[in-house]
Amino acid sequence: MWIRIASFILRNRLSILIVLALATAFMGFQSRKIEMSYEYAPLLPKDDPANLEYEKFVEEFGNEGNLIVLGVQDSLFFDIQHFKQWQQLSQSLEMINGITSVFSVSDAYNLKRNPEIKKFEITPVFEETDNQQQLDSLKHTFTDLKFYKNLVYNPETSTFLMAVILDKKVLESPKRVPLIRKIENQAEKYSSVTGNNIRLSGLPYIRVETAEMIKRELNMFIWLALGITAIIIFLFFRSFKVVLFSMLVVGMAVIWALGLQGIMGYKVTILTGMIPPLIIVIGIPNSVFLLNKFHHEFRNHGNKIKSLQRVIQKIGNATFLTNLTTASGFATFIFTSSRLLVEFGIMAAINIMVVFVLSILLIPSIFSFLPDPKERHVRHLNSRFFQKIINRLVHISLNHKKIVYAATLGLLIFGGFGISQMKTTGYMLDDIPHNHRLYKDLNFFEHHFSGLMPLEVMIDTKNPGGIMAQKNLQKMESFQEKMKAFPEISQGLSVIQLMKFAKQAFYNGNPAYYSLPNAMERNFIMSYIPREMGNGSAVTTSFVDSTRQKARISFRMKDVGTTKMQVLNTKIKSLADSIFPKPDYNTSITGSSIVFFKGTDYLVRNLFISLGLAVLLIASFMAWMFRSKRMVIVSLIPNLIPLITTAALMGVFNIPIKPSTILVFSIAFGISVDDTIHFLAKYRQELGATNWSIQAATVLALKETGRSMIYTSVILFFGFGIFTVSSFGGTVALGALVALTLLVALFSNLILLPSLLLGLERLITNETFREPLLTIYNEDEDIDFEELKIGKTAESKEKEPDTKK
């Protein structure tokens, strides 16, 4: 098959280049459709119970993810000048298109009982603040209103916040970024006038800022990947042509990747944003293996076309399988049912195969038009430095197999210890540097207001009007009081607080009466509530549904991590069930914090499954190649050792298992097995040439493929190393851990694999292995060069007799 493919490529090289150029231009046009994602892609599948509970909550009470909070710590907050600046900030924000409402201390209202009309009158607390004396008097009135304590201010730390509700339609449109920038500008104006450091946080703000960081890093990683790989290739090959056309291949692959993403309508997320630089790093080894073989063949017989034909014929098969296994490692993410990972898996798998097709078509086609390589271009094959390394590796494999086995056993023991120390956890801002404003500002709100992450409890009494029953109101109050035992969670906000507020107003604002009204009081008090605050108003519908059968209790909590969140969730659920027992009530614990925690837990479990699938799939490829169970085991061992080592280091250095770090294993395994395939493919070819001498075949395979394996591993090591300059901790961990795993895999494939082949010589040699599906090509079986119809230079005509041998 590969002989026919080589013939087709070399015969139609000009047509292939024209078609690829036109297709790349088309993909470049399609890439203009790409959009950034400004929301958290759901980690849970749609039919997961936790996701269904959250969707049900949103349907009843609306989305709780459209709130931005501004905060300030100011002991002089009620100084007339400072207070007026805060009022000015609130008014300026309300005028911004895309903001539906603003609420803070300066916007607080009070209820005043009017006995003549038997209604509450809603009046602003700070209606007149002309001088300091008036403000001091109004401050006393405000502090008597317990409803606002720890809701919009913390009296113990002199901290005040401002809640900004964003228009959901604007938040889901491209206008979201300008909206956030306008809010930031107003906040900076306030800071410059007062000298107070104002803090911003909230899910919409975090999402937009994170997306903008991804956008900035996307271009940086592409150029870093191109630059570093170009430098390394030049150092290896000492040829600007090799660098230029290797960069051309991966550059076109990047355009195809962006174009395919635009066609498929996938938005750029923290994962899909990594695909272009990943394609560069993973695609370059294709060019290295192809060009290294081209130079090796050309040095042997000096015929360029024959060299290119053999490159496609011999390396094409192994390169196809290496790209297929790498793509399979990414494709296993599709089985996680997480939209975030499914999109990443699909795009990565497709584009890895695309870069293979581009490599196998472009490299031979382009180099067939270029002049023959000069002596300096093939001189790298005679590098004494690499020859010494490879000779040393051969010596170790031949003479120190027991030491290699002992070292491997030691790594396994170390791996067992390290893996036992591994922990699983994840934070909503885990990937943000701790010195970044996003992280610092969230910590500010966690310290002064017990956090901002939404935690919602929905109670279904199963009876219309059941929420307003006195016993149910008392149960809700009891639940909120007992929730105060959790310092990670803020005080609750529900219809209970509204009723307490109304009772205090009924008794002329006396703070001693801020309590739940009894059944008799409630009849009088409820009659005083004006229609705009009664059933159907925005105030009540935020906490009670239209039938008064269901109620919502809203909390805010710290970003405590998934491990602690699991414990809290169990305790809160137990508390809710004890106060609202089944089957009389249905209670659900939900909100963004719960969805994130369960999504992370779900993702980690499924990523282990995807790793198992990757191992199974790649083992199947090995079995298909060699038709030998023993060879499957021999080939997998050198690639599992690096994964165990990396897992052990994660345990020893306290790097937790989370979505960003668990990706390491599937990605690294899919890539590291490439070296194994190249080595075994050459080893299989050499077996026939050495009359089935495993020792001779192993030595020859190591000497020819060892150089390319070192080249590609160095490129991959530094290529993944570029991700360590990311602003996201998860991306840094991914880059560092994959680079480390691939480095260990290199030595494992160069030392352990040959040692296993030599040490288990009798066990792995069998009749089925003698006739594998991986074809052995005869060095003298080549394409009929007359049929290629490639113009011959004077030099090639002189060498023509050699090609017919």
Side-chain angles (χ1 to χ4, degrees), residues 243-254:
V243 173
L244 176 64
F245 293 113
S246 297
M247 293 299 104
L248 176 65
V249 171
V250 293
M252 289 177 67
V254 168

Side-chain angles (χ1 to χ4, degrees), residues 44 46 211 359 426:
L44 288 170
K46 291 183 178 180
S359 301

Side-chain angles (χ1 to χ4, degrees), residues 12-76:
N12 301 282
R13 55 198 179 133
L14 184 59
S15 300
I16 287 171
L17 292 176
I18 293 172
V19 169
L20 288 179
L22 293 174
T24 303
F26 172 75
M27 287 298 181
F29 177 77
Q30 294 298 319
S31 67
R32 299 168 60 190
K33 299 179 181 178
I34 294 178
E35 296 180 4
M36 294 296 301
S37 174
Y38 290 91
E39 59 182 15
Y40 282 125
L43 301 179
L44 288 170
K46 291 183 178 180
D47 58 351
D48 187 88
N51 191 63
L52 293 175
E53 279 190 351
Y54 180 71
E55 292 296 329
K56 188 176 181 181
F57 168 81
V58 171
E59 184 181 348
E60 291 286 352
F61 297 105
N63 196 328
E64 24 76 287
N66 60 342
L67 173 70
I68 285 183
V69 178
L70 287 76
V72 66
Q73 186 173 22
D74 184 7
S75 58
L76 299 176

Side-chain angles (χ1 to χ4, degrees), residues 466-475 516-519 522:
I467 284 297
M468 304 311 292
Q470 189 66 20
K471 68 170 186 175
N472 289 332
L473 292 172
Q474 290 172 345
K475 284 176 179 290
L516 184 67
N518 57 40
R522 190 154 52 85

Side-chain angles (χ1 to χ4, degrees), residues 41-43 214 218 257 260-261 264-279 282 326-353 603 607 610 659-668 671 720 723 730-731 734-735 738:
L43 301 179
I214 295 170
L218 176 59
L260 286 170
Q261 190 164 346
M264 299 180 77
Y266 292 161
K267 294 184 178 180
V268 178
T269 64
I270 192 169
L271 286 182
T272 56
M274 293 169 57
I275 287 177
L278 273 176
I279 293 301
I282 295 172
T326 303
S328 300
F330 285 95
T332 54
F333 297 140
I334 297 170
F335 298 100
T336 61
S337 298
S338 165
R339 195 186 83 191
L340 183 70
L341 279 177
V342 167
E343 291 181 2
F344 175 65
I346 290 172
M347 291 304 301
I350 291 174
N351 284 294
I352 286 168
M353 297 313 297
L603 207 56
L607 282 171
S610 73
S660 52
T661 54
I662 197 68
L663 286 172
V664 170
F665 300 102
S666 294
I667 293 174
I671 297 173
F720 277 97
F723 293 115
T731 308
L734 177 68
V738 170

Side-chain angles (χ1 to χ4, degrees), residues 272-546:
T272 56
M274 293 169 57
I275 287 177
L278 273 176
I279 293 301
I280 295 171
V281 174
I282 295 172
I284 283 294
N286 290 339
S287 300
V288 170
F289 274 105
L290 293 171
L291 291 169
N292 210 42
K293 181 63 176 175
F294 172 55
H295 288 168
H296 189 273
E297 289 289 337
F298 186 82
R299 185 186 62 176
N300 287 344
H301 51 71
N303 188 299
K304 180 177 66 178
I305 300 304
K306 182 175 182 177
S307 300
L308 293 171
Q309 175 260 324
R310 284 185 173 173
V311 165
I312 301 168
Q313 177 184 323
K314 293 183 175 182
I315 301 298
N317 194 8
T319 306
F320 170 74
L321 289 170
T322 58
N323 282 265
L324 186 61
T325 54
T326 303
S328 300
F330 285 95
T332 54
F333 297 140
I334 297 170
F335 298 100
T336 61
S337 298
S338 165
R339 195 186 83 191
L340 183 70
L341 279 177
V342 167
E343 291 181 2
F344 175 65
I346 290 172
M347 291 304 301
I350 291 174
N351 284 294
I352 286 168
M353 297 313 297
V354 166
V355 77
F356 161 73
V357 173
L358 292 174
S359 301
I360 205 71
L361 293 177
L362 286 172
I363 294 294
S365 298
I366 291 172
F367 278 82
S368 69
F369 286 106
L370 297 177
D372 292 351
K374 294 181 172 56
E375 177 59 28
R376 70 174 183 274
H377 298 149
V378 297
R379 196 177 297 155
H380 66 96
L381 298 172
N382 300 318
S383 170
R384 292 183 179 179
F385 174 73
F386 283 106
Q387 283 181 350
K388 286 182 180 179
I389 292 176
I390 292 170
N391 288 336
R392 184 61 182 167
L393 294 173
V394 170
H395 177 75
I396 293 172
S397 299
L398 290 173
N399 302 299
H400 301 289
K401 290 188 287 294
K402 291 183 179 179
I403 296 176
V404 173
Y405 298 153
T408 303
L409 181 61
L411 278 177
L412 288 173
I413 295 171
F414 169 71
F417 169 75
I419 290 171
S420 67
Q421 305 298 311
M422 292 180 75
K423 298 177 182 178
T424 302
T425 190
Y427 295 84
M428 294 189 80
L429 281 189
D430 204 16
D431 291 339
I432 302 297
H434 290 191
N435 60 351
H436 194 278
R437 178 180 177 176
L438 284 178
Y439 192 88
K440 288 182 177 179
D441 286 3
L442 181 62
N443 275 347
F444 173 85
F445 290 105
E446 287 183 344
H447 176 70
H448 296 287
F449 294 98
S450 297
L452 293 177
M453 299 305 170
L455 174 67
E456 303 285 350
V457 179
M458 189 167 71
I459 301 159
D460 183 357
T461 62
K462 298 187 176 182
N463 294 308
I467 284 297
M468 304 311 292
Q470 189 66 20
K471 68 170 186 175
N472 289 332
L473 292 172
Q474 290 172 345
K475 284 176 179 290
M476 290 175 64
E477 183 182 34
S478 173
F479 178 77
Q480 289 185 233
E481 286 298 317
K482 290 181 178 180
M483 283 290 287
K484 292 179 180 178
F486 303 111
E488 304 89 353
I489 302 174
S490 70
Q491 71 174 32
L493 182 61
S494 69
V495 68
I496 300 299
Q497 278 63 46
L498 296 177
M499 297 187 75
K500 289 181 178 181
F501 190 13
K503 180 178 177 179
Q504 181 179 351
F506 185 80
Y507 289 101
N508 300 317
N510 188 338
Y513 288 93
Y514 185 75
S515 60
L516 184 67
N518 57 40
M520 185 177 296
E521 289 174 323
R522 190 154 52 85
N523 292 332
F524 289 100
I525 292 171
M526 294 301 289
S527 67
Y528 270 79
I529 296 179
R531 183 169 296 178
E532 60 268 23
M533 282 193 66
N535 187 31
S537 74
V539 175
T540 54
T541 54
S542 295
F543 298 101
V544 181
D545 75 330
S546 58

